[in-house]
């Protein structure tokens, strides 16, 4: 299929959030399109770049993020909450064995659509002396610089500028994990991909000076990090008490829903006498 601008009728969403349509009998993914929409798109093989929306879906909403469509961090900000709910439920239904697809599927919505992420993993890259910090671009390893991120908890967003200021001293590129730590203050775990110069080992102390609860630096090949302050993440447990994780310990990004999930598992276990 040659590259060309075509009219595409979108009928569904792919698991990664692109609109799915057909051109000349072949399936095409159109990033940024919603089911029910007719769009103009530049088609190349099995993917297409959205040019304009000829017939918008009533479920289309305006994303709050100025980088939506460029940044690969969020795929569905342009879809209404009700559409997101129906699409997720339908995806679960299709994943079930045919004999179970008529079962009722419960859905617990997130309390909020923005400012819910209490954890994030971001990339950084130094280009011509400028630090780019943010998520990767869609289908790319390139970092999309984000001065703000509306899905991040505001306390995590406040750590972006201090990180951008110090990361050039650490190295040319890498990843940093953000979470909330002691006192609800952000913590950072920094993973450069190249050897760290001597001046880079002071960045953790600088980040603590800027108000982070703690920071950890993992030079390539290190078995333990350089630490300043307390870089451990703190999350709410199912009993609403604080749960302290190890440095880089895993937890769900949406803390409120994670508490709901843990509570649901506990209720289910209590019902059959397992607890």
């Amino acid at each position: 299929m040659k590259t060309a601008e075509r009219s595409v009728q979108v009928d569904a969403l792919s698991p990664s959030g692109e609109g799915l349509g057909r051109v000349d009998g072949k399936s095409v993914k159109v990033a940024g399109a919603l089911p029910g929409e007719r769009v103009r798109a530049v088609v190349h093989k099995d993917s297409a770049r959205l040019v304009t929306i000829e017939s918008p879906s009533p479920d289309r909403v305006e994303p709050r993020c100025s980088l939506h469509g460029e940044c690969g961090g969020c795929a569905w900000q342009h879809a209404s909450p009700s559409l997101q709910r129906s699409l997720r439920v339908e995806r679960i239904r299709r994943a079930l064995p045919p004999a179970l697809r008529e079962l009722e599927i419960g859905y617990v919505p997130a309390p909020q659509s923005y400012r819910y992420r209490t954890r994030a993993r971001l990339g950084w890259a130094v280009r011509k002396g400028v630090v780019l910090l943010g998520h990767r671009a869609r289908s790319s390893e390139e970092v999309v610089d984000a001065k703000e991120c509306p899905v991040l908890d505001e306390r995590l967003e406040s750590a972006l500028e201090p990180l951008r200021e110090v990361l050039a001293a650490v190295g040319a590129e890498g990843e940093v994990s953000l979470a909330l730590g002691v006192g609800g203050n952000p913590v950072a775990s920094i993973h450069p991909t190249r050897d760290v110069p001597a001046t880079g080992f002071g960045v953790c102390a600088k980040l603590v000076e800027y108000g982070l609860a703690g920071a950890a630096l993992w030079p390539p090949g290190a078995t333990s990090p350089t630490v300043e302050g307390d870089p451990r993440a703190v999350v709410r447990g199912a009993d609403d008490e604080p749960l302290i994780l190890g440095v880089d310990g895993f937890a769900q990004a949406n803390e409120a829903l994670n508490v709901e999930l843990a509570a649901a598992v506990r209720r289910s276990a209590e019902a059959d006498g397992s607890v």
Side-chain angles (χ1 to χ4, degrees), residues 47-67:
S47 63
R49 176 177 57 82
L50 181 65
V51 176
T52 187
I53 302 168
E54 297 180 322
S55 177
S57 165
D59 283 302
R60 175 171 289 277
V61 296
E62 187 66 25
R64 279 175 50 180
C65 181
S66 62
L67 297 175

Side-chain angles (χ1 to χ4, degrees), residues 75-155:
W76 287 14
Q77 277 194 26
H78 59 302
S80 68
S82 60
L83 177 60
Q84 292 186 35
R85 173 174 182 160
S86 64
L87 291 170
R88 290 187 176 109
V89 170
E90 183 57 29
R91 185 168 298 167
I92 294 170
R93 194 176 302 283
R94 291 199 306 267
L96 293 172
L100 300 179
R101 289 179 184 173
E102 298 304 316
L103 292 176
E104 181 180 353
I105 297 174
Y107 187 93
V108 179
Q112 56 198 65
S113 299
Y114 291 91
R115 299 298 182 197
Y116 65 87
R117 290 193 68 99
T118 56
R119 305 177 68 80
R121 188 173 66 182
L122 307 175
W124 92 80
V126 181
R127 299 287 184 262
K128 298 180 180 180
V130 176
V131 175
L132 307 179
L133 174 66
H135 292 290
R136 309 287 177 178
R138 182 183 294 274
S139 303
S140 172
E141 289 298 312
E142 290 299 312
V143 175
V144 177
D145 192 44
K147 298 295 191 296
E148 57 184 14
C149 179
V151 298
L152 285 184
D153 183 291
E154 290 175 326
R155 292 167 292 180

Side-chain angles (χ1 to χ4, degrees), residues 7-14 17-22 28 30 32-40 50 52-60 78-79 83 86-87:
S7 181
V8 183
Q9 179 65 43
V10 179
D11 301 313
L13 276 190
S14 72
E18 298 96 346
L20 291 176
R22 301 190 75 81
V28 173
V30 188
L34 293 176
E37 293 184 331
R38 178 166 288 279
V39 303
R40 297 288 296 181
L50 181 65
T52 187
I53 302 168
E54 297 180 322
S55 177
S57 165
D59 283 302
R60 175 171 289 277
H78 59 302
L83 177 60
S86 64
L87 291 170

